[in-house]
Amino acid sequence: MNWKPELDELARRKAFAYEMGGADKVKRQHDSGRLTVRERIDKLVDKDSFLETGAISGLGEYEANGDLKSVTPANCVFGRAKVDGRPVVVVGDDFTVRGGSADASIAAKPLMAEETANAFRLPIIRVIEGSGGGGSVKTIETKGAANLPGGVGGTRGFYYMTENLSQVPVVGLGLGSVAGLGAARLASSHYSVMTKKSAMFVAGPPVVARLGQPLEKTELGGWEIQTRSGAIDHAVETEEEAFACARRFLSYLPSSVYELPPTIACDDDPERGDDALMNIVPRNRRQVYKMRQIIEQVVDKGSFFEIGQNFGRSIIAGLARFDGRAVMLFASDPYNYAGSWTADTCQKVVRFVDFAETFHLPVVYLADCPGFLIGLEAEKSATIRHGVRAMAAMNQTTVPWCTVIIRNAYGVAGAANQPGGRLSLRYAWPSASWGSLPLEGGIEAAYRAEIDAAADPKAKLEEIEIRLNKLRSPFRTAEKFWVEDIIDPKKTRSLLCEFARLAEPVRTPGKVNFAIRP
């Protein structure tokens, strides 16, 4: 018995799949500067590692005698592959077939991609363009009825879209116009990247125009809007850069919550101390400085991978390594509101504290926080509510935590420099300053009667400032053991590398027991 005819038919059907939406649609994709879904997958994963599932699925067209005429492939391509030698699931939308919409989709394919990641505890990378398998107005006609979102049999995809956030690393790549369900799938990730020519929105310009808002795609959901709103973490010029970002992000993480982050060999001396650290923080407390210079000096060289740079900008957040060990790193940014926590900053803290707890990443916080942002806009944005929510997220964590107070720690937000109910490590630089309120501006209020009664109010104010400044020295606080240690800034890297080594054996892999938020 010879099965060659069947194998020939299999090859023919695969050939239809590889043609995607046809030569004209592929050309249109290329002419707009975008790769096809299969080209994207090839560039994203290790060479020859992609093992596709359901390649020949689609809509067949047959001759009158029942012979196959052609197949329009389903517009979802997925399977298992490897990234830097580690297995992953990758699922991509084929925009050349009905723009990636539900009209040409087989819902079981993207669902099975999510189920595969969940069942085998594998990271999943979603390559999204179009509506991500969501419906369009035409769906009513092609399906013969209006779709009920989340109707009978239609909830499992939504379930896994968010459930996997508590199980495996989820990466979303927005490579083109992304709308509706596609936008939800892109935002429902631990790390999202879009190209600067792409756009993301809940509903596109034609729909929004009905509200009296005539906008182009990039005006409505371009990269500047989406990264500043926090909906997208990062924007890059090219698709190849997006693939590189995805691979690098995954390199810091375990394959699932049931493993620990990988430790890699490190050739950067953990005892390295750079004299430049002594000159970064100015003595003049009104002068700002570049926190990212401190970050680059203390982490393993070149290891800092910032996430969400354009959102909640008074906190810098990202992944880094100390002595080859991955951590979640937070650092205040004095260039934005002097490091004060805004409502957006608090949301950013919540998200990445949850992320660190989910994937067993120790936390390092380089703190310079003068408190929550104050003023009318801060009150309108419910900064204090978001702030206590950030504190609650910190207090829920169990991962090891180490804080280095670089300069300011004032008020309630200043107190949120470590989890409140358990042991953490903490150090302070000699430049550190703290209190319930900053002296600047507070002296006039607290000592108003004494200053007003003085023969020379200006001299009295100066006298009180000198007296209190001596009392607020960090050495006075350390003397009372209200802060653990004041350190030479050049010792910061050494101590943080020691912390990373201490943290390594005390983490326990397994699913966390509180809600994970994208």
Side-chain angles (χ1 to χ4, degrees), residues 137 177 179 201 203-217 220:
V137 172
S177 295
F201 23 69
V207 179
V208 172
R210 298 293 291 269
L211 302 176
Q213 299 177 23
L215 299 168
E216 297 296 324
K217 288 181 179 180
L220 178 62

Side-chain angles (χ1 to χ4, degrees), residues 145-162:
N147 172 59
L148 170 64
V152 176
T155 59
R156 285 176 62 83
F158 291 104
Y159 170 77
Y160 280 106
M161 184 176 75
T162 54

Side-chain angles (χ1 to χ4, degrees), residues 197-250:
K197 293 181 179 179
S198 298
M200 183 187 83
F201 23 69
V202 175
V207 179
V208 172
R210 298 293 291 269
L211 302 176
Q213 299 177 23
L215 299 168
E216 297 296 324
K217 288 181 179 180
T218 54
E219 292 176 313
L220 178 62
W223 70 272
E224 290 176 305
I225 290 172
Q226 299 297 5
T227 57
R228 288 173 181 170
S229 72
I232 295 293
D233 294 314
H234 190 46
V236 294
E237 297 290 346
T238 68
E239 295 189 13
E240 286 80 3
E241 289 177 86
F243 306 147
C245 286
R247 290 193 295 267
R248 188 174 178 198
F249 173 78
L250 291 175

Side-chain angles (χ1 to χ4, degrees), residues 159-435:
Y159 170 77
Y160 280 106
M161 184 176 75
T162 54
E163 167 63 13
N164 277 338
L165 291 171
S166 68
Q167 296 282 342
V168 299
V170 180
V171 176
L173 305 181
L175 307 178
S177 295
V178 177
L181 177 59
R185 292 175 62 217
L186 183 54
S188 182
S189 58
H190 296 113
Y191 177 62
S192 55
V193 187
M194 66 187 292
T195 57
K196 292 184 178 180
K197 293 181 179 179
S198 298
M200 183 187 83
F201 23 69
V202 175
V207 179
V208 172
R210 298 293 291 269
L211 302 176
Q213 299 177 23
L215 299 168
E216 297 296 324
K217 288 181 179 180
T218 54
E219 292 176 313
L220 178 62
W223 70 272
E224 290 176 305
I225 290 172
Q226 299 297 5
T227 57
R228 288 173 181 170
S229 72
I232 295 293
D233 294 314
H234 190 46
V236 294
E237 297 290 346
T238 68
E239 295 189 13
E240 286 80 3
E241 289 177 86
F243 306 147
C245 286
R247 290 193 295 267
R248 188 174 178 198
F249 173 78
L250 291 175
S251 72
Y252 294 88
L253 300 179
S255 291
S256 76
V257 298
Y258 300 98
E259 301 175 13
L260 292 177
T263 295
I264 66 172
C266 176
D267 58 5
D268 189 2
D269 183 3
E271 301 303 316
R272 172 174 56 80
D274 198 314
D275 289 336
L277 290 172
M278 300 296 292
N279 302 313
I280 293 177
V281 180
R283 282 191 174 274
N284 183 344
R285 306 186 59 76
R286 294 181 180 275
Q287 286 185 324
V288 296
Y289 60 93
K290 295 181 178 179
M291 180 63 83
R292 288 177 179 83
Q293 289 184 352
I294 296 176
I295 294 172
E296 294 299 340
Q297 292 288 351
V298 299
V299 303
D300 292 355
K301 288 181 179 178
S303 73
F304 182 55
F305 182 73
E306 188 168 356
I307 305 173
Q309 182 174 356
N310 285 351
F311 176 71
R313 296 179 67 182
S314 54
I315 275 283
I316 300 165
L319 296 161
R321 289 192 176 92
F322 289 95
D323 203 13
R325 293 156 176 84
V327 305
M328 183 73 221
L329 188 144
F330 293 102
S332 304
D333 189 351
Y335 270 83
N336 289 279
Y337 301 106
S340 298
W341 282 19
T342 66
D344 285 351
T345 298
C346 295
Q347 293 178 57
K348 186 175 182 177
V349 169
V350 169
R351 180 183 170 206
F352 289 113
V353 164
D354 283 357
F355 173 73
E357 180 72 7
T358 302
F359 294 110
H360 324 297
L361 293 161
V363 175
V364 169
Y365 179 22
L366 306 180
D368 181 355
C369 179
F372 291 121
L373 187 69
I374 61 174
L376 180 60
E377 290 306 312
E379 301 303 335
K380 285 183 175 180
S381 61
T383 299
I384 191 64
R385 176 172 291 280
H386 290 292
V388 294
R389 189 166 179 260
M391 295 179 74
M394 292 170 62
N395 291 334
Q396 286 178 337
T397 62
T398 61
V399 292
W401 192 294
C402 183
T403 301
V404 181
I405 301 176
I406 305 297
R407 187 154 69 177
N408 293 310
Y410 283 92
V412 178
N417 62 68
Q418 61 178 188
R422 59 186 175 89
L423 177 71
S424 298
L425 299 187
R426 180 168 51 197
Y427 304 99
W429 280 18
S431 51
S433 173
W434 38 60

